[in-house]
Amino acid sequence: MSPDASSSDVASTASSTDETEHHAQVARPSDSLRDTEDLRERLERWMAGKVPSGSTVTVADVTLPAANGMSSETILFDATWDGDHHPLVARVAPTESTMPVFPTYDLESQFRTMAQVREHSAVPVPAVYWSESDPDALGAPFFVMERISGDVPPDVMPYNFGSWVTEASPEQRKTLQRSSVGVLAQLHAIDKPGERFDFLRLPNSGTTAREAFSAHIAEQRAYYEWVVSDGVRSPLIERALDWIEENNPADDSPAVLCWGDSRIGNVMYQDFAPVAVLDWEMATLGPREMDLGWMAFLHRFFEDIAGLANLPGLPDFLRLPDLAQTYAEITGHTPHDLEFYVTYAALRQAVIMWRIQARAIAFGQSQRPEDPDDMIMHRASLAAMLDGTYWERLA
């Protein structure tokens, strides 16, 4: 899961009192130091140079969502020019003082990805208006897109604990599930992805799914090294990285555009159909199964938590065989090696959670555990996947 502001974040916490003083004068992970009136004035000045010449722009109703995430910051606002009212969203890159979850935030690539997906597919991506690389306007790079209304499956508490998703009928959940898989099918069907999304190509990446995935593994290992730069390492994550490299499927099919953060918590729905597909910071070129594995794992992640809480969860929802069957029905492509790609998703989530926990430790919100792998909430699930026992217990 990419921690982001378009939906609530699942952020387990972690802490070390000896680091608290060091961070006493920096923004805490859940705090915003922004003044909404100051933001309104800044946005209005900036937009004056973006709207058609001669137009007068006014900005109003600036809001910072309570669920503003640990990735990009979200600013909601209304703007009016030429007599037209525009509900808008600004996505702002985090500053170093907030200990970002990822080492870089290429908002321009997110902006371009959304624009290209909107142009070359029927995927409901919000219209993007402007991308600003100069940090002077808001203190960091940002882009502006349209604001859309809809229902988002919540992360806190997880949607399978009790939400509009659990209250829906089985038929409605099937509609949501099928339409969500349909989004992946449409994304993967975009032709000429290597040309249209060349800016997403990773170093040393080829044109096949296997070559692109190998580059993705290398990037994941580099991300892990950045995450553990304080010297505390994870034996489990390192074991998983080695296992993934050793078991990389031989897939010579063309790489496709992958959403990357392909989970229902990054979608707005109306009547159980997607109306806005959000959060494109993990978009890449790779095997289509990578998106399916991420979608399945993020639900399994919540299901395992529900099991620990003795809650019924949604065991018949987003099941891996059902996702595979639906995808094959829609596309004619039978997904392969999905358990491998779910394991890769669990590895990616483990590295992200390690960073989130280290962040909470640095901000004095929790204590560092004696066993480093306890920084990973789903360590037991990841270990079982590597051992080949995880899926047996679900049979």
Side-chain angles (χ1 to χ4, degrees):
M1 159 185 63
S2 164
D4 217 301
S6 61
S7 59
S8 302
D9 295 314
V10 171
S12 32
T13 57
S15 134
S16 157
T17 54
D18 61 351
E19 294 182 61
T20 304
E21 183 177 354
H22 173 70
H23 292 281
Q25 307 206 358
V26 262
R28 300 173 71 83
S30 58
D31 292 345
S32 174
L33 304 182
R34 294 182 179 274
D35 175 78
T36 54
E37 176 59 22
D38 177 63
L39 279 175
R40 188 197 68 77
E41 294 174 356
R42 285 170 172 261
L43 285 165
E44 195 168 86
R45 285 196 301 268
W46 178 79
M47 289 192 63
K50 301 298 179 182
V51 298
S53 178
S55 300
T56 298
V57 61
T58 59
V59 172
D61 298 326
V62 175
T63 304
L64 299 171
N68 231 331
M70 295 171 292
S71 183
S72 305
E73 181 182 14
T74 298
I75 302 171
L76 310 179
F77 64 102
D78 294 331
T80 302
W81 67 88
D82 289 344
D84 294 325
H85 170 252
H86 302 270
L88 300 174
V89 180
R91 301 299 302 273
V92 188
T95 62
E96 285 299 318
S97 65
T98 61
M99 285 188 69
V101 173
F102 299 111
T104 59
Y105 286 81
D106 190 348
L107 294 187
E108 174 63 20
S109 286
Q110 294 180 48
F111 179 90
R112 293 174 65 186
T113 299
M114 294 175 70
Q116 289 280 45
V117 170
R118 186 177 172 87
E119 179 179 353
H120 297 291
S121 78
V123 174
V125 176
V128 288
Y129 287 85
W130 308 282
S131 177
E132 179 58 75
S133 59
D134 189 337
D136 286 350
L138 296 181
F142 65 97
F143 68 85
V144 175
M145 63 183 181
E146 71 172 321
R147 189 167 82 240
I148 296 175
S149 298
D151 299 316
V152 179
D155 289 348
V156 180
M157 300 295 286
Y159 60 80
N160 60 333
F161 278 39
S163 70
W164 62 271
V165 181
T166 59
E167 293 170 2
S169 69
E171 291 74 21
Q172 288 171 324
R173 281 195 294 273
K174 286 182 180 178
T175 297
L176 187 151
Q177 177 175 293
R178 186 174 183 85
S179 63
S180 301
V181 175
V183 166
L184 302 186
Q186 292 178 72
L187 286 173
H188 301 163
I190 295 176
D191 63 347
K192 302 178 183 178
E195 296 178 23
R196 294 193 166 116
F197 301 93
D198 62 315
F199 52 92
L200 297 178
R201 192 184 302 277
L202 296 174
N204 303 314
S205 176
T207 60
T208 69
R210 179 183 175 87
E211 292 168 336
F213 187 68
S214 295
H216 206 272
I217 297 171
E219 183 191 49
Q220 193 66 35
R221 191 177 286 276
Y223 175 45
Y224 167 71
E225 292 297 336
W226 177 79
V227 162
V228 299
S229 58
D230 63 355
V232 180
R233 305 181 69 85
S234 166
L236 178 59
I237 290 175
E238 292 175 7
R239 176 187 167 203
L241 283 165
D242 292 342
W243 186 92
I244 289 293
E245 285 186 340
E246 293 167 2
N247 292 276
N248 187 356
D251 185 352
D252 292 327
S253 66
V256 301
L257 171 67
C258 293
W259 177 10
D261 204 356
S262 49
R263 64 190 187 92
I264 64 171
N266 284 337
V267 182
M268 285 186 170
Y269 297 88
Q270 289 180 5
D271 296 326
F272 301 93
V275 293
V277 178
L278 308 167
D279 295 352
W280 293 88
E281 65 194 349
M282 293 167 67
T284 189
L285 299 174
R288 59 188 73 207
E289 286 79 8
M290 195 160 62
D291 272 346
L292 287 163
W294 188 255
M295 180 172 283
F297 169 71
L298 263 296
H299 180 67
R300 286 301 331 154
F301 177 72
F302 285 158
E303 283 295 285
D304 290 344
I305 296 174
L308 292 173
N310 294 316
L311 294 173
L314 290 171
D316 296 328
F317 184 54
L318 295 176
R319 294 174 62 250
L320 193 59
D322 297 337
L323 295 180
Q325 180 179 342
T326 301
Y327 189 87
E329 291 171 355
I330 295 173
T331 67
H333 171 88
T334 300
H336 59 83
D337 299 294
L338 282 181
E339 291 183 6
F340 169 88
Y341 287 103
V342 171
T343 303
Y344 183 60
L347 164 62
R348 294 173 68 196
Q349 174 75 340
V351 183
I352 291 170
M353 292 200 69
W354 186 282
R355 175 61 174 177
I356 291 172
Q357 291 284 51
R359 203 168 174 265
I361 290 170
F363 284 105
Q365 295 180 327
S366 188
Q367 295 181 346
R368 189 180 297 278
E370 292 185 11
D371 184 343
D373 284 337
D374 282 343
M375 301 265 281
I376 306 165
M377 182 185 294
H378 61 292
R379 63 172 297 179
S381 296
L382 177 55
M385 290 178 191
L386 297 175
D387 294 336
T389 60
Y390 183 80
W391 300 102
E392 293 176 2
R393 74 187 193 202
L394 296 181

